[in-house]
Amino acid sequence: MSLLEIRNLHARVGGHEILKGIDLQVNAGEVHSIMGPNGSGKSTLAQVLSRREAFEVTEGAILFHGKDLLAMKPEEAACEGIFMAFQYPVEIPGVGNAYFVRTALNAIRKYRGLDQLDAMDFLPLYREKMRLLDMDEQFMNRSVNEGFSGGEKKRNEILQMAMLEPSLAILDETDSGLDIDALRIVAQGVNAMRSPDRAMIVVTHYQRLLDYITPDFVHVLVDGRIVRSGGADLALELEEKGYVSIESEARQTAPASA
Amino acid sequence: MGSSTETIRDLTQQDYKWGFVTDIESERVPRGLTEDTIRLISAKKREPAFMLDWRLKAFRHWSSLEKAQAEPQWANVHYGPIDYQDIIYYSAPKQKPSLKSLNELDPEILRTYEKLGIPLAEQQRLAGVAVDAVFDSVSVATTFKEKLGELGIVFCSFSEAVEKYPDLVRQYLGTVVPHTDNFFAALNAAVFSDGSFVYVPKGVRCPMELSTYFRINAAETGQFERTLIIADEGAYVSYLEGCTAPIRDENQLHAAVVELVALDNAQIKYSTVQNWYPGDKQGRGGIYNFVTKRGKCAGRNSKISWTQVETGSAITWKYPGCILQGDNSVGEFYSVALTNNYQQADTGTKMIHLGKNTRSTIVSKGISAGHGQNTYRGMVKILKGATGARNYTQCDSLLIGDQCGAHTFPYIEVKNSTARMEHEASTSKIGENQIFYLQQRGLKAEEAVSMIVNGFCKQVFRELPMEFAVEAQKLLGISLEGSVG
Ligand SMILES: Nc1ncnc2c1ncn2[C@@H]1O[C@H](COP(=O)(O)OP(=O)(O)OP(=O)(O)O)[C@@H](O)[C@H]1O
Ligand SMILES: [Mg+2]
């Protein structure tokens, strides 16, 4: 059984159909990269997988660990093991960064019938992950993402991911806004989390992230459809030719669709 | 915003959990208000002549205001006329007149306090909270008295203070909130039945939080308590009041007065968690909370801080303020006011700068949900002699849903050109993107809203004593239940 199985997914937002029939299978242990032009629907797919309400599924099905993902609320999907690193992380004024993650972790643990972690159990783990991501301790007590630089926000997303240990991590353009050193550190953090029972979907525009995180599969999303899938090499080809030629090649080879 | 809208709604539709009624016999005076009512209340309390005279003076003043229909109309709250002759002004549980220990207390009353979670019982005294509980009009039990007594601290019911420390009462009563201050203050001065009294002598730092729980139990009674706290030179005291009331269909009037006096180098910290019955989801019933609270920084380098968390009452009308008379004195006001369903709040502060280098800080956080209407009304007055005065005001409103309202009326009057004033204000709405972000991390929508609101209030909560901050956070979560939208 695949970890994630998406069948013929159609979704709309604000009255427009954005996803127009997506099929994708992701097995535990795999890293899939999704690339594609601006506005093609990459974030939309990520939001649908996170069960954001405004993104309405009109057709198709999604199974996660064999369960009907579309029947889940966002927090249920999260507790079942889906984590999304946001393209634009949100600020929560007045809520401490460490406190927030501990609350989230305990919500997930409660859902799974596990004991609650108190601050004494939690903080050593949190500190360790912060070191791994080369984050200063001051970020522990600052408000969630408030006043963080773009790169700091992205790092904070990965820190949360490291603490929450999802079985499916969706990274939506985590590399954009990162400087070269930060990119390497974040990629290391992500690589450290690769494991046989965890899968990742990495949304990116740039090969340079994939230099660090080598994907097992690359998919090209254009106008709400996956127009090509391949191995890590496909990303290099894209870098060379651009989306336009890939898209037109795909159109030529694709069967005429309704 | 389908489901998060729904969650906000669900959150705000949580039921009031403190609405039980205690079945005890009570002793009341006849309904209505005349000079005879005042005499009867004063006689029942065996008050000295100066108290009766003071009450009668206040009553005559109030009667003239009532004839002139001078009940305040300027606040941004709306309610039907109050029939002041249809209120019972004094209600006391029937019991033996004086108690040697808690064991003599009516067990029903004790059980009520247990339900409220008030630490009255012996073992809970160890928690470091001394409680003076006001049950309807008479203060029924005061703990910790002896320990405080060793330090010379007086912490007792107002009635007991009148009996045992008449000179202190006489010296300070009405010096901060005179009976002529306003309509409700005049009414309180005439009919107030009990309250708390604190005196901390020179140089003494009160070693524990002093706390009073007010509770309106009897139907159709108004509660008019009066609190007087005096911190003598170099003294320090932190005082907390909490309030709940049972569910009733009719509205009940609560018109309290609190006076604080801080002498040279003294400090008073006064914290309120107000959770009076707010009325039902349609806006029926609930407490009218019309309260006058003021502190006077009479001495040099003195400091008075008000912290309030107002989540209850159908209508809240209160402006805890500071008269900064002593040079270098400091006044602070930290407020969280939440209105849900059909609640209305018009609250804020008055900072009157008289002395040199006086400073005041105002932080107000208003949260509106449901059809709630939340008004901040603040006045900062810098008088001629207040050279070097400073004020910082921050006034933030948070809206949950789109049927509620937030309003801000800051008044500033500056008569000394050296004054420095800073004012910041913001209005924001809880965003679907914030709720979703927290949900994506595993929190339910209502937990998300509660976390966001608590974050919004953090600047105020951190001013509360630790254990009460935790209580306030929980209360806020409960008061918001049914509000996610
Ligand atoms: N709430 C909304 N209302 C209307 N249109 C929307 C909404 N959200 C997204 N869209 C539209 O859906 C399309 C796909 O957006 P999406 O964010 O999924 O693109 P993307 O592939 O992630 O692009 P980028 O590379 O720029 O991040 C865009 O045209 C966008 O404008
Ligand atoms: Mg995107």
Side-chain angles (χ1 to χ4, degrees):
Chain A
M1 181 182 75
S2 322
L3 179 68
L4 177 74
E5 195 173 329
I6 303 176
R7 283 189 222 132
N8 189 30
L9 180 69
H10 290 250
R12 47 196 296 152
V13 57
H16 301 281
E17 183 167 53
I18 309 294
L19 300 182
K20 302 172 180 172
I22 298 223
D23 291 280
L24 182 66
Q25 266 198 28
V26 177
N27 295 307
E30 294 174 353
V31 172
H32 290 242
S33 173
I34 296 185
M35 306 182 81
N38 295 136
S40 57
K42 303 181 297 297
S43 293
T44 300
L45 177 60
Q47 314 259 18
V48 168
L49 291 173
S50 313
R51 303 306 306 120
R52 191 172 196 154
E53 189 181 56
F55 293 76
E56 184 199 350
V57 173
T58 51
E59 214 183 315
I62 307 177
L63 293 180
F64 179 58
H65 287 297
K67 294 183 192 164
D68 179 8
L69 183 68
L70 296 179
M72 295 179 198
K73 290 186 189 149
E75 65 270 24
E76 287 166 337
C79 291
E80 289 284 340
I82 287 185
F83 177 93
M84 174 169 73
F86 284 59
Q87 182 173 1
Y88 304 108
V90 179
E91 301 187 2
I92 316 284
V95 175
N97 212 20
Y99 170 77
F100 160 59
V101 181
R102 181 158 67 90
T103 309
L105 184 56
N106 279 333
I108 293 172
R109 290 177 66 91
K110 187 175 165 199
Y111 181 90
R112 296 179 187 169
L114 299 170
D115 289 346
Q116 299 291 286
L117 289 186
D118 61 23
M120 303 295 262
D121 300 326
F122 172 83
L123 285 174
L125 292 170
Y126 190 69
R127 284 210 172 87
E128 185 197 316
K129 305 289 183 195
M130 284 185 97
R131 270 196 299 278
L132 198 72
L133 289 161
D134 200 24
M135 282 177 80
D136 194 282
E137 293 232 339
Q138 56 134 330
F139 288 103
M140 265 171 58
N141 296 315
R142 281 177 62 177
S143 297
V144 178
N145 294 325
E146 196 183 31
F148 287 26
S149 75
E152 287 163 354
K153 283 183 183 168
K154 295 302 181 72
R155 241 187 254 209
N156 200 33
E157 294 290 288
I158 301 307
L159 173 63
Q160 291 173 30
M161 174 174 96
M163 289 306 300
L164 300 181
E165 301 191 307
S167 53
L168 176 65
I170 304 159
L171 277 56
D172 193 357
E173 293 198 29
T174 299
D175 53 336
S176 54
L178 291 179
D179 65 41
I180 298 162
D181 291 337
L183 181 69
R184 189 171 33 80
I185 291 161
V186 163
Q188 274 166 11
V190 172
N191 279 332
M193 289 198 65
R194 286 179 86 150
S195 97
D197 42 36
R198 174 174 299 129
M200 299 191 188
I201 295 176
V202 179
V203 175
T204 183
H205 286 290
Y206 306 107
Q207 168 61 32
R208 53 172 203 170
L209 176 68
L210 305 180
D211 288 341
Y212 294 104
I213 306 171
T214 313
D216 300 298
F217 301 94
V218 174
H219 309 279
V220 182
L221 187 66
V222 177
D223 190 24
R225 290 186 188 87
I226 292 176
V227 297
R228 253 188 84 179
S229 296
D233 298 345
L234 179 55
L236 290 168
E237 191 185 331
L238 269 175
E239 186 106 315
E240 218 173 279
K241 298 190 187 161
Y243 294 122
V244 179
S245 65
I246 295 271
E247 191 187 348
S248 55
E249 276 171 36
R251 205 173 288 137
Q252 281 156 22
T253 53
S257 58
Chain B
M1 288 226 329
S3 98
S4 60
T5 319
E6 261 159 47
T7 323
I8 291 183
R9 207 173 303 124
D10 293 346
L11 267 177
T12 38
Q13 281 167 9
Q14 171 77 15
D15 292 329
Y16 190 71
K17 290 178 179 161
W18 297 269
F20 51 86
V21 175
T22 306
D23 190 15
I24 46 163
E25 273 187 79
S26 57
E27 187 190 358
R28 302 165 156 201
V29 300
R31 189 182 296 272
L33 187 54
T34 63
E35 266 196 37
D36 288 343
T37 324
I38 311 288
R39 288 177 197 282
L40 194 57
I41 292 172
S42 192
K44 274 192 184 298
K45 303 176 76 66
R46 292 192 222 95
E47 287 180 345
F50 84 88
M51 281 302 302
L52 178 61
D53 292 346
W54 194 72
R55 286 176 182 279
L56 288 173
K57 214 163 48 185
F59 174 71
R60 286 170 199 140
H61 179 71
W62 178 80
S63 301
S64 69
L65 290 177
E66 208 215 0
K67 273 203 201 80
Q69 296 180 314
E71 191 177 321
Q73 302 288 334
W74 43 262
N76 187 22
V77 296
H78 307 278
Y79 56 93
I82 298 173
D83 182 353
Y84 292 94
Q85 296 305 334
D86 197 32
I87 292 174
I88 296 160
Y89 285 86
Y90 183 84
S91 162
K94 252 186 208 159
Q95 57 174 46
K96 284 169 269 175
S98 83
L99 297 169
K100 289 207 181 60
S101 78
L102 287 181
N103 303 337
E104 292 178 43
L105 199 59
D106 187 325
E108 272 298 317
I109 294 181
L110 271 181
R111 266 196 290 281
T112 304
Y113 286 138
E114 267 158 38
K115 270 195 238 172
L116 290 169
I118 299 169
L120 253 192
E122 193 78 7
Q123 72 272 23
Q124 283 161 314
R125 294 191 358 185
L126 297 169
V129 181
V131 177
D132 177 29
V134 177
F135 199 104
D136 286 359
S137 308
V138 172
S139 181
V140 284
T142 304
T143 50
F144 261 120
K145 225 181 244 175
E146 288 119 69
K147 195 171 170 210
L148 295 171
E150 285 164 24
L151 293 163
I153 296 170
V154 179
F155 175 38
C156 62
S157 71
F158 208 101
S159 315
E160 195 180 331
V162 169
E163 195 185 318
K164 293 194 180 149
Y165 312 95
D167 294 343
L168 275 176
V169 173
R170 202 174 190 158
Q171 188 181 347
Y172 291 104
L173 177 68
T175 58
V176 187
V177 180
H179 70 270
T180 49
D181 191 80
N182 68 68
F183 185 87
F184 297 110
L187 181 62
N188 175 285
V191 303
F192 82 91
S193 34
D194 215 329
S196 294
F197 178 86
V198 178
Y199 172 77
V200 187
K202 270 185 200 167
V204 172
R205 193 183 161 86
C206 184
M208 63 194 77
E209 314 281 346
L210 303 182
S211 163
T212 302
Y213 248 90
F214 288 111
R215 181 163 170 80
I216 300 177
N217 187 64
E220 298 171 77
T221 59
Q223 182 157 328
F224 304 91
E225 82 275 355
R226 188 158 190 117
T227 293
L228 176 56
I229 298 176
I230 302 141
D232 211 325
E233 290 171 21
Y236 167 86
V237 62
S238 166
Y239 186 89
L240 183 113
E241 66 173 347
C243 333
T244 57
I247 294 174
R248 307 264 185 213
D249 292 338
E250 71 275 28
N251 296 103
Q252 269 180 295
L253 177 61
H254 174 253
V257 169
V258 175
E259 297 181 278
L260 312 180
V261 180
L263 302 184
D264 284 359
N265 302 303
Q267 242 190 77
I268 301 174
K269 191 173 163 57
Y270 193 104
S271 314
T272 305
V273 175
Q274 186 264 111
N275 184 30
W276 296 120
Y277 178 53
D280 68 11
K281 282 154 207 161
Q282 282 72 43
R284 280 184 304 247
I287 300 288
Y288 291 167
N289 189 32
F290 299 161
V291 173
T292 308
K293 291 182 170 180
R294 195 171 304 141
K296 191 198 269 184
C297 284
R300 298 170 61 86
N301 309 317
S302 55
K303 178 175 174 182
I304 290 178
S305 304
W306 297 101
T307 307
Q308 61 172 25
V309 177
E310 305 278 328
T311 60
S313 295
I315 302 178
T316 295
W317 179 98
K318 77 181 263 210
Y319 316 89
C322 298
I323 300 169
L324 302 170
Q325 190 177 61
D327 290 349
N328 309 319
S329 59
V330 175
E332 293 176 337
F333 174 74
Y334 297 95
S335 170
V336 165
L338 179 142
T339 52
N340 192 4
N341 297 320
Y342 286 88
Q343 283 177 278
Q344 309 173 57
D346 191 306
T347 184
T349 185
K350 270 188 194 172
M351 294 289 178
I352 315 290
H353 293 250
L354 296 162
K356 294 191 182 67
N357 301 316
T358 45
R359 279 167 291 150
S360 60
T361 301
I362 300 170
V363 176
S364 160
K365 303 278 182 176
I367 302 145
S368 322
H371 294 83
Q373 293 294 330
N374 211 315
T375 300
Y376 167 80
R377 187 182 303 276
M379 167 174 278
V380 179
K381 237 185 188 163
I382 313 275
L383 295 174
K384 233 187 179 128
T387 303
R390 272 184 285 162
N391 165 263
Y392 170 77
T393 299
Q394 181 189 340
C395 197
D396 300 319
S397 307
L398 185 68
L399 301 169
I400 304 174
D402 45 23
Q403 289 165 305
C404 52
H407 319 272
T408 313
F409 300 107
Y411 301 94
I412 296 173
E413 205 181 305
V414 180
K415 298 225 168 88
N416 182 312
S417 59
T418 62
R420 291 219 313 264
M421 317 285 287
E422 265 182 86
H423 187 100
E424 288 176 28
S426 76
T427 301
S428 52
K429 237 179 145 166
I430 290 192
E432 183 269 343
N433 61 335
Q434 286 180 313
I435 296 174
F436 175 67
Y437 187 71
L438 300 185
Q439 281 182 294
Q440 209 301 303
R441 298 305 187 243
L443 302 188
K444 295 193 178 87
E446 59 266 35
E447 293 166 341
V449 169
S450 177
M451 183 178 251
I452 294 163
V453 170
N454 275 302
F456 175 75
C457 299
K458 184 178 173 187
Q459 266 172 296
V460 175
F461 285 167
R462 70 173 174 220
E463 298 297 324
L464 288 172
M466 181 65 177
E467 57 274 35
F468 299 122
V470 172
E471 195 180 316
Q473 275 190 30
K474 282 193 201 136
L475 194 57
L476 213 62
I478 290 166
S479 306
L480 272 172
E481 276 172 44
S483 74
V484 179

